[in-house]
Structure formats: structure tokens, C-alpha cells
Amino acid sequence: DRPFQREFYSRLGKGNFNRILDVGARSYNKFCKDLINSTSVEYLQMEPNLPSDPSDLKNDGLFECYMNEVREKYPDQVSNFDLIIDFGVFGWKLVQNEFNDAKVKGYVDSVKWLLRDKGCWVLKTDQGWVPNEVEFFDKHILPYFTMKDFDNHAYESGHSIKGGNFKFYFFYKK
């Protein structure tokens, strides 16, 4: 997913998004702010487990928490983001194995809470992350979000990359 990730982040500085939150910001995301290449886009990261080397994080701000904790720890952030990038947390099978319906609801509610109206949640899912993806989306995500393509059809929702075992989805807050 790294080639797609680099291409995707490099599109974000073109004026469509003013405030971006990147979930799960470990050292492999340290190049993302530079790829956005914009002085007007505010790029923030969410990471509860900080890396030992502070240079592994490059951002305009950091939320030191899990998504399910953000409303309590950062109550002033309601409806404050145009884009939330989730390239390996919610859609990762190891996370979903730990989530029951209440934790899934809490996560989705937190994403909704953070996003402005019509804001976009970009979700990367691993193959087999849930037993039935359509059922999961219908139950947990689509009541609150609309699935559409991204950036004037630059990326189709549900696309995968050749050789990759994951898909990218774009959900827009209703």
C-alpha cells in the first residue's frame, strides 16, 4: 500500500481539505506531512503509543489517545476535520478481533463526532478483516455515512491495488 499512500497524500495539499487527522501515526507515516506539501493544510496525527524517536512523528499536532477516547480527552475537536485517514487501524483484522459491537459503535461515533458535515473518512481494510464486509458496512457505517469515490473520481471506493490484500473506501458523513 505504500505506493498508493504516497500518491494519495500528495493529492491532499491541493485545497480540498483544510484539516486532516491521520489515525495510527507511527514512524511509517513520518513522510506524510511533507507529501501533502501545503502551508495551509493542518495535518494532525492520532497515536496512543508514541515512538521512542520523536523525529518519527511530523505533524501540526498530536492526539495521544485511541479513537474511542478522543471525545473525552479532546472535547473541543467536535466537527473539526475535513478528512480522517484510517489506513490500518479500524480496518485491521487484529483490531476488529478485539472489538465488540459497543467498541465498533464507539469508534464510528468518534469518527462522526470529529468530522465536519460532508467530511470524508478514508478507510483501508485488510482482506478478511470482518467475516462479511457488506453486512458490517450496512450495520455500522452506512447509517451515518455515504460511500462514494474520492476527489472527483480519482479513486473508486472499494478499489484495491494490484498485488495488495486490502481495499480503500471513502465514506462521507451524512
Side-chain angles (χ1 to χ4, degrees), residues 60-93:
D60 298 311
L62 178 67
F63 294 168
E64 293 183 52
C65 67
Y66 292 99
M67 182 62 79
N68 285 351
E69 301 170 330
V70 73
R71 290 176 283 175
E72 180 182 319
K73 291 190 174 189
Y74 301 93
D76 60 333
Q77 297 300 314
V78 64
S79 300
N80 218 356
F81 291 91
D82 304 300
L83 180 69
I84 295 177
I85 302 169
D86 198 336
F87 278 179
V89 178
F90 190 73
W92 189 28
K93 188 174 184 173

Side-chain angles (χ1 to χ4, degrees), residues 127-138:
Q127 186 175 23
W129 70 294
V130 292
N132 186 322
E133 197 169 68
V134 172
E135 264 181 35
F136 186 90
F137 288 162
D138 286 346

Side-chain angles (χ1 to χ4, degrees), residues 25-135:
R26 300 299 291 175
S27 60
Y28 47 80
N29 284 1
K30 67 182 174 185
F31 62 86
C32 296
K33 180 168 173 48
D34 294 335
L35 286 174
I36 293 170
N37 191 24
S38 170
T39 56
S40 62
V41 173
E42 191 176 5
Y43 174 74
L44 295 97
Q45 294 176 308
M46 179 181 285
E47 178 56 59
N49 305 305
L50 298 181
S52 56
D53 183 356
S55 70
D56 281 347
L57 296 174
K58 292 183 182 176
N59 55 50
D60 298 311
L62 178 67
F63 294 168
E64 293 183 52
C65 67
Y66 292 99
M67 182 62 79
N68 285 351
E69 301 170 330
V70 73
R71 290 176 283 175
E72 180 182 319
K73 291 190 174 189
Y74 301 93
D76 60 333
Q77 297 300 314
V78 64
S79 300
N80 218 356
F81 291 91
D82 304 300
L83 180 69
I84 295 177
I85 302 169
D86 198 336
F87 278 179
V89 178
F90 190 73
W92 189 28
K93 188 174 184 173
L94 292 176
V95 170
Q96 285 301 320
N97 287 342
E98 300 295 320
F99 273 23
N100 57 24
D101 277 354
K103 286 184 179 178
V104 169
K105 181 176 179 0
Y107 195 103
V108 172
D109 284 350
S110 292
V111 170
K112 279 188 332 191
W113 183 84
L114 287 165
L115 280 173
R116 295 179 175 140
D117 288 340
K118 310 289 185 210
C120 183
W121 177 21
V122 183
L123 178 62
K124 181 186 91 172
T125 63
D126 291 343
Q127 186 175 23
W129 70 294
V130 292
N132 186 322
E133 197 169 68
V134 172
E135 264 181 35

